[in-house]
Amino acid sequence: MSRAELLSPEGLRIDGRRPAELRKITSTTCVLSQADGSAYLEHGNTKVLAAVYGPREARHRALVLHDRAILNVELNVAPFSSGERRRRSKNDKRLLEMASFVKQTFEPVVIATLYPRSQIDIYLQVIQHDGGTLQACINATTLALIDAGIAMTDYVCACTAGWIEREAAIDLNYIEESSDTSEVTIAMLPKSSKITLTQMESRLHVDKLEEVFRLAGEGCKQMYEVMDKTIRDRAEDLARKMTV
Amino acid sequence: MLRQKAFMKKTKSGKVLKVVKEHYLRDDIWCSVETCKVCEHTEPVLSAVPSINKAFRLPHYIIPDTNIFINQIDVMEHPLVMNVIVLQTVLEEVKHLSLPIHQRVRDMIANKEKRFYVFSNEHHRGTFIEKLKDESPNDRNDRAIRVATKWYGNHIKDLNPRVSVVMMTDDAGNRDKATADGLQAISVKWYIEALDNTEILDMMSSAKDLDDGQKTIYDEHLSPAHVSNGIKSGKYLQGKLGISSHNYLEGSIYTKINGEEGTILIVGRSNLNRAVDGDIIAVELLPKSEWRTTPTGVVVDEEEEQAEEESLKAEQEAAATAVKEDAVMAEPEAEKPAAAVETHKLDTPQPCGKVVGIIRRNWRQYCGFIDRKSVHTPAGSSAPVNVLFYAMESKIPKIKIRTRQAHALLGKRIIVAIDSWPRTSRYPIGHFIRALGEAGDKSTETEVLLLEHDVPFHEFSKQVLSFLPVEGENWVVQPEHFAGREDFRSLNVCSIDPPGCTDIDDALHVVPLANGNYQVGVHIADVTHFVKPGNVMDQEAASRGTTVYLVDKRIDMLPSLLGTNLCSLRSNVERLAFSCIWELNKDAEIVNVRFTKSVIASKASLTYEEAQNRIDDASMQDDVTSGIRILNMLAKKLKQRRLDMGALTLASPEVRFSLERDTQDPVDVEMKELKETNALVEEFMLLANISVARKIHEKFPDSAMLRCHPQPPSANFEKLEKAVARFGIDIDHSTSKTLSDSLDNAVLPEEPYFNKLLRIMTTRCMMQALYFCSGAQIEQEFRHYGLATDIYTHFTSPIRRYSDVMVHRQLHAAIDSSLTYGDELTDKEKMNDLCGNLNHRNRMAQQAARSSVELFTHLFFKNKTEEEEGYVIRILKNAFIVLIPKYGIEGIIYASAKASKSADSGDAAAQPQPILVYNPETDCLQSTETLAEGETPKTQVQLFQKVMVQISIDDDLKGGGEGGMRQKLKMELLKPWIEGISVHGISNKDDPEAHAVTSKKREEAPVQAQDKKRAGKRTKA
């Protein structure tokens, strides 16, 4: 009956954030030496590892497109990612769906025509889950693609926002997500403010939609700052190493 | 904004999961002190110069711990307690321990004048602490409070003017630790005593530590773990205790016994073991040998216990209790136990149980009065004394309270809360909260009855009123309102309501069509145009649920600007409406129906009487009148068809008071009269409700708000069937149709009132009609038994019922596909919760209305003695209840009235000599002489018997020496004459004999009289 109070009258969420605050985000690129590009990203306790292979020769001839590269996304959730240990099959429909979301998000952004007849593989591994998996996956993929040096028109920054209690809030954690909250995930190209993905599965009153969208957009911009800094730091680091 | 991150790991059990939560610590949580320059708060809560208390040198802010809120919430709510810092730690603990108290704390925080500030210490970088190894959560929280207090102390030490913080806790250990840390700590008691205010002193909850020297009266309750294990294993049974409204020492729970649903009786003080009405309790079944077969067995137990009482005072009460026990024992709300009890032949004793633990208390605040007898100090004394408090609700035991203002409170209605009920105390221990006013005063009594029935009657807050249209009274229909509405302004719409009605929800029109059919429209006030879902006004209305009609006033659900003006469909003004338009053929069959929002301008607001006159007056030939005639014709056909389907016509003895204009005192009573036009309006409202119910159920199969009326179980009819069988009448209640037919046939030519009486009594066998959410029940259970329809809802009175508001919203969503709506219309759970609240409010509103009538009946009979004809409508073991049709009142007449005098001689074991005894076979009371086979007893009282009674108000109960202040309607039997029961009734009270008897009784048996009064009150309730 009485579910947890998600937003106290004092304006703090259960973890002590205010509604428009992201969780602590840490990210690094180039974490795997085997992959062409890789990134590790934490949204609070949601932790995702992304690896990009390619562009490389397409494995199945039948799929080859002669004028551009094809994107292939695989998503895995580690059995130990949440409190309860649970193994998901590879054909879990939720995972396939989420993978296809990531694929659709990046198809218009990656300049695939530069790599005809080839394939770009994106492998995502959710190591720990605490809400907002999709946004974390998209952000990690962006970093990994940049790390792999694949041409893109812009960053893709994703952020969720939802309506908790009486206000819109961004970057919902697992508790907030699971209390029947209406949640929207959007992925944005920060320079042009174009949106490449919006995803919402629950009912949300139209009156509230605009506010939720606005806040999610702001969240994306904040994400961009963090991601851009990671990339620039990495680049500077590399540059410094080269000059030495 | 700087954000620090720390990690906290919490494990939750259940499946033993490890839950990892983030916990952010912040720098932007401000102290909220007015003079603080460091913090960046915008609206400081805590005043610069807070309260001063003799106990401290400096003005200070109070930081209470959790137990202060849990135990002393009433003190904290007192206006003298201001400038309190509520720590997040404390607030969370309070929430965990008690949701109602948490809500009250939240209300105080929201009240700006109280200056309660929530300091989120758990998220503040300076005050967050990690749990230490081997530290219990309680110790950690206590430490957190100390740390926060210390932080505050340091933070504000340089402020000007100087202030300090004080930690308030009743835990001596915690205080010592605080003092060791250099903090100021104080207990509530010291603090309050230093305030020097008797009122707040009385409000202090009594300390729980009682001296061990006292003898324990009750068995210990089992530990919660023990209880829950016992319930799981089936050793104990869980249920909600319902105390008999006639005997506060008898309760029952309804639960599953060995897989079968049944009632377990819990009889006697020691078996009830400190459970109070409404508590969720764990019960252990007693061995079969102790199951109740006769009521006397229990009484003896009780008497033994009573005999242990030492003090005189207690002895008096003991006698009283024992006697009362007797007097009312046979009055259970279900007849079954009585039957089982009475006949020793019956070998199915009622299962009895004993309370072993209390799972959840349902204590609330109680209205009542102080027992005059329990006040022994001389008048004017202000020393604290323990006194006994009687709650108005007879199900509640007496409550012991400690007060310094006992004399000032005598004769007043006061509110009291229970604090605890230790094993050593016969009565629960409580504390005074506030006084309402003089007993017997109309406004006080009205407030009491509103409080007792949980009716929210406070004024609408500013916040609520802010959602009213800004134009206020001058609001008119604007051209933009016509969007999406049909213009019915030209139609001859009129409304028919009771006289003096200002909240007109409904209006009607009819237009004969070219094809010989009729277009009939029901127009309902469009409340939802003004009340938008989810806003404060809507929430307030949802919580109030319904408008409550009392005899002299009305507690509105919506602010009166809406209820009586903007929504009210008054004549000759344009108003927004929600219309239901049918095409009916000549036989009043529905050809088609549609719904639309509309604008109407009513042509006339008539009373039932005016409308009736118009129908009857052949000279009236205007459009409105001829419309009413057509409607009347159609309504009759509708009604006939409904009756053919098996709808019930029931009756209730409702009366209406004529009030004096200025004082609002009742000057006359009359039966509510029903005219043809009442039925006219009713028919079309029923039709509208049914049509709407179908529509919204179609659109919202899982979440439509509907209303059902379950079929009454046949057990309800047992007694009635038996009684009417005597007249050769058979009641067949298998369906509403057969019931309705048998009622129609049950006519006694020599007794014209019989049929009405039978209908009144049938009404009492019925179940309550309930709101429900369509997803929560199977479709067969949607049926409305009384109206004989398969689906029903409430659509026609949105001004006074919230259910109708919801139905309006659902109907609007059903007809306008482009409408956007939130999950309040689709969420099954929310709808279910809402239905629960509405059912509760409805029930309470009905009871409040009834109590109000009772109150005015008392006022009416004040200083009056009337002789009236009445009918016996219920037979109890040692009493019977008489209904007076003229006033619609009921009273109890004891069959063993005077014999019980022996009880006050101190010999509690003496049984009162019944003059009439109960015969379970014939269900009547008869004289005690031994009878030969087949012989009828000399005198007997049976159901439906016509009697003459004398009615007066027992004014010796008010004030006079006994402290009792429940006014009781006294009914005495005049005819038939039964020696020992009947009085010489008399129009003149000077009859020496009758007078002598009364006064003698008064002298000799004060206990008895008081006791009867309690019993009497019970019966009426």
Side-chain angles (χ1 to χ4, degrees), chain A residues 1-2 5 9-10 12 14-18 21-24 44-45 83-84 130 175 203 205-206, chain B residues 1 3 5 7 15 17-18 20-24 26 28 95 99 106 118 120 123 820-822:
Chain A
M1 182 191 79
S2 73
E5 188 178 53
E10 287 69 51
L12 293 182
I14 25 180
D15 53 9
R17 283 184 291 157
R18 295 197 190 274
E21 286 172 0
L22 290 170
R23 287 177 281 183
K24 183 173 171 60
N45 277 338
E84 206 175 353
D130 188 26
I175 303 169
R203 288 175 62 89
H205 200 283
V206 217
Chain B
M1 201 179 296
R3 198 167 58 226
K5 189 175 159 189
F7 250 97
K15 250 182 172 176
L17 289 182
K18 184 170 178 186
V20 182
K21 288 181 186 166
E22 283 176 290
H23 193 94
Y24 290 94
R26 324 184 55 100
D28 64 345
K95 186 175 183 187
L99 276 177
R106 275 285 173 211
V118 180
S120 303
H123 288 292
T820 56
Y821 49 90

Side-chain angles (χ1 to χ4, degrees), chain A residues 94-109:
Chain A
R94 288 293 297 174
L95 296 185
L96 291 177
E97 188 192 22
M98 212 175 322
S100 88
F101 283 148
V102 176
K103 185 177 166 194
Q104 285 164 22
T105 308
F106 283 95
E107 267 172 347
V109 187

Side-chain angles (χ1 to χ4, degrees), chain B residues 166-187:
Chain B
V166 171
M167 187 171 118
M168 192 189 267
T169 173
D170 280 342
D171 175 354
N174 200 4
R175 275 203 304 273
D176 292 344
K177 280 185 193 153
T179 324
D181 283 355
L183 304 173
Q184 299 188 88
I186 193 167
S187 78

Side-chain angles (χ1 to χ4, degrees), chain B residues 576-594:
Chain B
L576 303 181
F578 208 144
S579 303
C580 176
I581 311 285
W582 298 276
E583 187 178 337
L584 299 181
N585 66 16
K586 280 222 148 57
D587 297 320
E589 280 158 351
I590 301 175
V591 179
N592 63 49
V593 57
R594 67 193 177 91

Side-chain angles (χ1 to χ4, degrees), chain A residues 72-188:
Chain A
N72 172 42
V73 180
E74 273 179 40
L75 177 71
N76 248 313
V77 176
F80 49 81
S81 63
S82 55
E84 206 175 353
R85 205 183 156 79
R86 188 168 54 157
R87 185 172 291 280
R88 303 210 201 198
S89 86
K90 221 179 166 191
N91 290 324
D92 187 326
K93 287 284 183 292
R94 288 293 297 174
L95 296 185
L96 291 177
E97 188 192 22
M98 212 175 322
S100 88
F101 283 148
V102 176
K103 185 177 166 194
Q104 285 164 22
T105 308
F106 283 95
E107 267 172 347
V109 187
V110 172
I111 309 172
T113 46
L114 294 179
Y115 318 106
R117 310 178 68 80
S118 57
Q119 159 174 349
I120 300 169
D121 288 315
I122 302 166
Y123 297 104
L124 290 159
Q125 179 74 37
V126 178
I127 298 167
Q128 198 172 323
H129 172 68
D130 188 26
T133 316
L134 180 60
Q135 56 162 350
C137 287
I138 293 173
N139 292 333
T141 308
T142 306
L143 293 177
L145 283 171
I146 293 171
D147 188 46
I150 290 170
M152 296 201 289
T153 48
D154 197 354
Y155 282 73
V156 182
C157 304
C159 184
T160 62
W163 193 267
I164 53 174
E165 310 257 329
R166 56 196 181 278
E167 258 184 81
I170 57 168
D171 196 5
L172 308 185
N173 67 23
Y174 180 69
I175 303 169
E176 291 166 334
E177 243 181 31
S178 53
S179 336
D180 207 13
T181 317
S182 310
E183 188 186 16
V184 183
T185 304
I186 68 173
M188 188 189 254

